[in-house]
Amino acid sequence: MTSQRTRDRMVARLEDAGIHDERVLTLMTKEPRHLFLDEALAHRAYEDTALPLGQGQTLSQPYMHARMTELALAASPRPSKECRVLEVGTGSGYQTLLLARLLGHVASLERIAALHLRAQQRLDWFGLDNVELRHADGGHGWEGLAEGFDLIVVTACASILPQALLKQLAPDGVMIVPLAEDDSDRQWLTRVRHVGDTQDIQRLEAVRFVPLLEGVIR
């Protein structure tokens, strides 16, 4: 259930579901998603479903990882290999891996220490030299940053647009973030683009993510 044939079937489903960027499809054919789950769940890694990571968190379904990566590539305001990315919510580290393979530099924040350490160990296996992880409250962004990020990818649902993260976007930067709809349990994947001193905000599609929470867990 973790063979190349299984990954190929997953990618065929992604194409049928509307993922068209060949860079994303090729990458997800190659990368071993099952390594980002505990051994007891590894055989389910390529199913079209979210899976538990512990600590109340989940590994998103393959479609959502593909979609977030495809949107990030499409939104990049500069050549992909020069793009500086902030990921809020490292989780398992699988989304981090996809972003790092296709974009320039990825800084990733995780509020739960156990997940942060596990993701660090997993990503170390791949020998990436363009990833930096930090155990911190993602809602505050990457504190101490001298320059803005070209892309910010948030992998948890915010109740309102995170203002601290907006301030860390570069002048032409883009944020991809799930946002809760007022007075509803609906969530919308949302693209936020800096346009001068304002933001162009566009709803993309209905989604379901864990909530973006404050603080850190040690």
Side-chain angles (χ1 to χ4, degrees):
M1 295 301 293
T2 59
S3 67
Q4 183 62 57
R5 183 180 300 175
T6 305
R7 286 200 289 277
D8 290 343
R9 286 199 297 266
M10 175 191 71
V11 168
R13 291 197 304 270
L14 293 176
E15 287 187 276
D16 290 342
I19 302 299
H20 301 302
D21 192 307
E22 288 295 333
R23 295 168 295 178
V24 176
L25 295 169
T26 299
L27 182 62
M28 291 184 69
T29 300
K30 296 176 180 178
E31 297 297 354
R33 178 179 161 92
H34 59 278
L35 296 183
F36 291 86
L37 286 164
D38 290 339
E39 188 174 352
L41 287 171
H43 67 286
R44 299 187 61 194
Y46 302 98
E47 295 178 8
D48 189 26
T49 187
L51 294 167
L53 293 174
Q55 308 290 326
Q57 305 300 299
T58 59
L59 176 73
S60 293
Q61 66 190 104
Y63 171 81
M64 192 50 60
H65 282 132
R67 181 68 172 136
M68 296 286 272
T69 307
E70 186 174 61
L71 287 170
L73 288 170
S76 177
R78 62 168 72 189
S80 58
K81 286 302 182 181
E82 298 175 13
C83 191
R84 288 178 51 85
V85 184
L86 174 64
E87 179 190 34
V88 177
T90 312
S92 70
Y94 180 70
Q95 181 74 76
T96 317
L97 174 68
L98 298 181
L99 294 171
R101 291 294 198 205
L102 297 170
L103 296 163
H105 182 272
V106 178
S108 186
L109 298 167
E110 174 54 58
R111 64 183 290 271
I112 301 173
L115 294 184
H116 163 74
L117 292 172
R118 214 173 302 155
Q120 183 74 72
Q121 292 168 352
R122 287 165 172 156
L123 290 168
D124 283 348
W125 297 339
F126 294 89
L128 299 167
D129 61 2
N130 64 331
V131 173
E132 188 175 358
L133 305 185
R134 186 181 287 180
H135 175 224
D137 185 337
H140 296 162
W142 197 271
E143 295 180 334
L145 180 74
E147 58 187 70
F149 289 99
D150 302 302
L151 286 171
I152 297 179
V153 176
V154 183
T155 64
C157 183
S159 56
I160 59 173
L161 197 58
Q163 295 302 305
L165 298 181
L166 275 179
K167 292 176 181 177
Q168 295 187 18
L169 272 180
D172 296 323
V174 174
M175 184 190 307
I176 299 165
V177 54
L179 287 178
E181 183 176 322
D182 291 341
D183 302 319
S184 169
D185 64 354
R186 297 194 73 184
Q187 301 176 5
W188 293 92
L189 193 59
T190 306
R191 182 170 53 217
V192 183
R193 186 185 301 274
H194 267 328
V195 180
D197 295 328
T198 63
Q199 288 84 41
D200 175 50
I201 301 175
Q202 182 180 3
R203 279 182 176 178
L204 301 174
E205 59 196 78
V207 291
R208 177 59 58 186
F209 280 83
V210 297
L212 180 65
L213 301 176
E214 296 182 357
V216 296
I217 298 176
R218 299 192 179 279

